[in-house]
Amino acid sequence: MAYGRNNLASLKLNPLEKWGSVLQSDEQKKQPQTNAQARKRQRDALKALPPTILLLPAGLQRYITDQYNARYQGKPGNHGKRLAKYLLLCHLVWSEQQKAGTLDAIHLHNEILRLHIGKDKGFSYTDVVEDLKEWSVLEVSDSYLASGCANRQVDPHSKAYTFADSFHGLESEFVAVDGLRYRERAAQDRLKRQIAKNQAKGLRVMVVDEQQPHLQWLKACWERCDYSPNTDELINQMEREQTYLRDVVVKVKGVRQRRTDRRMTPRIAQAYRDSLELFRRNKANHTPEWHFSATNGRLHSFFNRYFTGSRDHVTLDGQAMVWADLDLAASQVYFLLKQLYATRAAGQAGPDLDAFRDLVLAEGFYQNLAGLIQKEIPGLPINDAKTDFFTHVIYSKNHQATPYRGTFNHLFPTVHAALLEIVRYKVKGVTKFRNLAVLLQQEESQVFLQTICRRIHDELGHHQDLVVLPVHDGLCVPQQYQEPVRAIMNEELLRATGFQPTVRTTPEKKAKKEAKKAAATEAREEAVPAAPVQVPAPVEELACEVGFEVAPGIWVRMDPALDVPPNNDPSSPEYVAWLLGSLFMDPPGPSVQEPVLAYSCSDPY
DNA sequence: GTACATATGCGGCCCTCCAT
DNA sequence: ATGGAGGGCCGCATATGTAC
């Protein structure tokens, strides 16, 4: 079997032909035409196509042909087409390497492979890749975390391929033709699918103009950053110590399971290393990852997706940096407040709406809320205060039935009514639910990227040592800029929502946790009366026998059941009124309380 | 629960290819 | 020129990882 230039050119594979518009356009499909007319159109289109020529070194082509002939000799099937698939994959790798001007590994998009090599049963591109690996033609880097390192502008989802050393340096025999616009096509297809999906759900599509100066500035900030060798050390250490990783929820045969015993195995550690290596390679090629989601407008980059512990080792212009991670506490609930108060239900608000607001704006919202729920139903298991709240209240499509939600609705009837008003809508008499999470995330990303980051750029952008790395509901900045950035965040969030936000840094969170721990151990060793503490303790630790403070000036009774309810019907207005009345109490002692909304997040405890 | 990513399998629809 | 077989494209589903 001889495979020269003309043989390959005549193989006219379907995906290649597509770029010559052999397929019917949408308009042509609508026009009625006989079978004969359709075939004539196809023939003419085929004749008009330029010849498809593959670019391959002659030695490489001969080698693959020999291996192929040995394998498929005497077997039935379209051997010419199959061989072309082998050569086509090599062509894609080869032409990419020529474009990049390097013999290093290059990345090929999964969808490109599907588009050109095919995925048909029994002979998919995975088979082609396996064969070429077996024949020592290609080397393929399998990295399940490679997603974090792909260059999204040029090559969104990719795997690394490189030719084996034995095929380097061979002379090329053919010349590639133009028109293989597979990257653009794959990207367009993906975006089209995503937009259609979102529109079907009734969501607006977030179009972000990346050319805006402050976004270009953010991109430049990220391009100045890198990961220090300490990151590799950290991974090694985590592997040695078999560090626990965060819980994941996995689906096993359709049933969601929570896995809490995950450790840093050598396999995962290697994947972390591979990802970092690919990131560095992309960075060396000046192709850092940068992407705005069309769904929620959030910014996605390697920084956002790589494991959180690595962020301490991010360098700026090659210099180690102390980062302050300024987070908006309970971000999505915070933005929900604004929407709640905009509803009709808020017009006839009971005291519970304001009580909910104060809970949200106070420290430890999720824990406090879980405490309230558990007081109502003592036996109700609370797995994870935050997850439970989101599962049952924010993302729930079942707004009545679960015990958690039922209790929540009793405690906060106005919030419940307002939530339904926001979420529920009818299409032809059928009740549907909006995707509240996406609505909140859209609002959040607009405020953070278009307002806060824009203002930081305009006011502080002239400082050369200031960079901002957005993390959805927070900003990473060099520590020396912590306070000015925090001031801008507070100001803009207050302006956008009307509520005073709680913006914390990671060290502050850690300090708070440790203080809590220390207070707990101190309470246990009560034999010795504690020395008077000069530093004010965290608000939560001011608990007394009767109640505890959930926000400055807002005190909740430890045991509302001390009072006798008016009746035993929790759904009656009297019961709810009693519950809300008995839940909250006057502050103990003569201490002066600040106004609720004056709660300042920037004040240290 | 949400978003993002990779990777794979399956079935429907319709186009391409091949033998006649 | 034509009927049937083969196969590409695409939506959808599933399993796994990261981040909120």
Side-chain angles (χ1 to χ4, degrees), chain A residues 44-86:
Chain A
D44 294 344
L46 279 171
K47 275 181 196 168
L49 277 181
T52 301
I53 302 169
L54 297 180
L55 168 70
L56 276 184
L60 180 57
Q61 181 189 330
R62 272 196 302 277
Y63 182 83
I64 293 174
T65 307
D66 292 344
Q67 297 290 329
Y68 167 86
N69 286 340
R71 166 168 294 193
Y72 292 102
Q73 194 174 21
K75 292 185 182 175
N78 187 345
H79 294 318
K81 191 164 182 175
R82 288 190 166 197
L83 174 62
K85 288 190 177 190
Y86 287 107

Side-chain angles (χ1 to χ4, degrees), chain A residues 239-266:
Chain A
E239 185 182 0
R240 274 199 308 275
E241 297 174 356
Q242 296 279 291
T243 311
Y244 278 111
L245 300 173
R246 59 189 296 156
D247 297 358
V248 289
V249 177
V250 296
K251 241 184 180 178
V252 180
K253 293 180 181 171
V255 181
R256 284 182 186 276
Q257 293 181 2
R258 190 181 192 86
R259 289 188 187 165
T260 59
D261 55 349
R262 297 172 64 244
R263 285 169 181 275
M264 180 65 120
T265 61

Side-chain angles (χ1 to χ4, degrees), chain A residues 26 28 95 158 166 175 202 224 230 232 235 254 279 291 295 302 310 313 316 327 350 383 421 463 489 574:
Chain A
D26 290 342
Q28 284 172 320
S95 57
S158 56
S166 48
V175 179
R224 289 166 62 188
N230 290 341
D232 307 78
I235 296 172
F279 165 79
H291 169 67
T295 302
F302 183 78
S310 67
H313 303 301
L316 175 61
D327 271 352
N383 301 323
E421 199 179 317
H463 292 291
M489 284 176 75
E574 293 82 3

